Amino acid sequence: MSTGRAAVEAVWRIESGRLVAGLARLTGDAGTAEELAQDALVAALEQWPVTGVPPNPGGWLMTTAKHRAVDGFRRAAVHRRAVETIGRATPASLDERDAVDDALDDPVGDDLLRLLFTACHPALNREYRVALTLRCLTGLRTDEIARAFLVPEPVAGQRISRAKKALRDKGIRFEMPGPADVAERLASVLEVIYLVFNDGYSATAGDDWMRPELSAEALRLARLTAASVPDHPEAHGLAALLELTQSRAAARHDATGRPVLLQHQDRRRWDRLLVRRGLAALVRARDAGGGTVGPYTLQAAIAACHATAPTAADTDWARIAGLYDVLATAWPSPVVALNRAMAHGHAVGPGTGLALLDAVDAVALAGYPQLPAVRGELLAMAGRHAVAALSFDEAAALTRNGPERALFAERAEQARAAADPMGR
Amino acid sequence: MRYLVVLEAVQPATPPPAELMAGIMALGEAATRAGALIDNAGLAPSLAGAKVSVGAGAGLQVTDGPFAESKEMISYAVYDTRTKAEAVEWTSRFMALHHDLWPGWEGEARVLKVMGPEDY
């Protein structure tokens, strides 16, 4: 049995979510639970390399953390009920929900889910929700979170401790939301996972590997959430969207690290296992939805159109344009409007796309490089290469991402060459 | 990162105990729920398969199963984990179940890293 640091950390990563959740049920406070879990990890890192990993490592961590909790409570002389609960609890009964919880109308009855709902409480700002979710549910270390978000380690540490303090200050207890609040709370959970995924996905080649790892982490959280609330279509919709998006990860950059647009990606490099999982999750979303389709499921359906097209030329743009029509009607946003214009440009013709683009809220998208980039693509499709080149110039000037700038500059060059094939 | 785990084993003549099957189910469910186990399946006995080999001087040879090896390929699993150690930990738990619950069972699980974007 390997007992090096890596092995201990692997056990920790597998157990930490359940550990924090179980401790939060005992203490009523997710922040305290997270600290107790960290103490248990430190103890494991000290002892396991000497004694070996115990047969039931999760139980060992829980028992160790509980002992610390009891000591802490005794010292602080607070929370009499918690002391009694912990004093009574044996490792075997830790997996059972105590009578107090049984008395609550808990529609799911799942500690991990409660932890997700607590970490993503709408009363917390987004930054805190993200920090707590990563900290409590993925077992990422502070330095790993710092690297992933490109901030110094003390900044990440401060974010986590402030988030835990905010939980206490706002009196956010570790409990299931009532039936009336589940939908809002779940929406917040899905949003946090989506944000974390996109943070990782926006990483560029050459970034620290912890950044793309964020996307992988978010995908695992999406799988966990979908498994925890199987009746909620949007949880499956988000899982589908992230599986399908992640399936293209390897094809997004060329050998030199330059981004490659979807239309030009080498589809042999798309991950077929993730595509298959994404399509399966999409079916589950539709089955659970019973006719109603939410925004994540719609976006997943669009991603599925791309994933199932053997070549770019096979893309069912008419269907994608139709899906964007629904998305733009039910959940309008400037970015959706932009993508919708592009889809109609492909489905109907560049003139239609450009007309829709004129209706896009340019003020809301001021400074967003994708706006001139899409205009450039549509103008190039229409054969108006000279103007297209100017749009690509504008996109290149706007983006703060080096490889993307190179891509837009290249599109500008290509448009100029097409505008003046003689190279005059 | 992605890991392919391939299990080879010598199965005792006794049928697998119900307790083992329940343990495997529970472990698989936990690993799936955690988002770590993303694909797995059992493998039929070698009788159902074949071997295509290229050997010294023999050229290309196709041999139908069964094969007289002591071990049979039993199953495969695909994990999506952040580190090798995590894939090894899930696999260790799976192997420990067999060790604890099926006397006489002997097996070997190979944890193979699947090349991914991080390798290029």
Side-chain angles (χ1 to χ4, degrees), chain A residues 13 15 144 223 271 277, chain B residues 2 35 38 80 82 93:
Chain A
R13 285 258 306 158
E15 300 294 340
E144 289 169 327
R223 290 167 184 157
D271 190 322
R277 290 180 55 88
Chain B
R2 183 169 299 181
I38 56 172
D80 167 23
R82 196 162 54 103
R93 293 182 182 197

Side-chain angles (χ1 to χ4, degrees), chain A residues 6 10-11 13-15 18 57 110 140 144 213 217 220 223-224 227-228 250 269 271 273-274 276-277, chain B residues 1-2 30 32-39 76 78 80-83 85-86 89-90 92-93 117 120:
Chain A
V11 171
R13 285 258 306 158
I14 289 170
E15 300 294 340
R18 273 188 297 183
D110 178 69
L140 283 175
E144 289 169 327
E213 187 54 38
E217 211 58 76
R220 288 180 209 117
R223 290 167 184 157
L224 170 71
S228 304
R269 301 192 66 197
D271 190 322
L273 174 55
L274 294 187
R276 177 157 65 83
R277 290 180 55 88
Chain B
M1 296 191 287
R2 183 169 299 181
T32 301
R33 218 176 132 84
L37 180 61
I38 56 172
D39 190 21
Y76 76 88
V78 179
D80 167 23
T81 56
R82 196 162 54 103
T83 60
E86 282 167 62
E89 174 63 22
W90 286 112
S92 300
R93 293 182 182 197
Y120 303 108

Side-chain angles (χ1 to χ4, degrees), chain A residues 23-35:
Chain A
L23 290 164
R25 177 153 48 81
L26 291 175
T27 61
D29 178 64
T32 304
E34 191 275 331
E35 282 149 25

Side-chain angles (χ1 to χ4, degrees), chain A residues 82-118:
Chain A
V83 174
E84 285 164 7
T85 310
I86 294 168
R88 268 205 317 272
T90 62
S93 68
L94 272 178
D95 295 334
E96 300 160 13
R97 293 166 48 228
D98 60 63
V100 179
D101 282 344
D102 283 336
L104 292 170
D105 181 26
D106 176 357
V108 185
D110 178 69
D111 284 346
L112 268 175
L113 188 61
R114 254 189 286 185
L115 186 59
L116 259 177
F117 280 145
T118 305

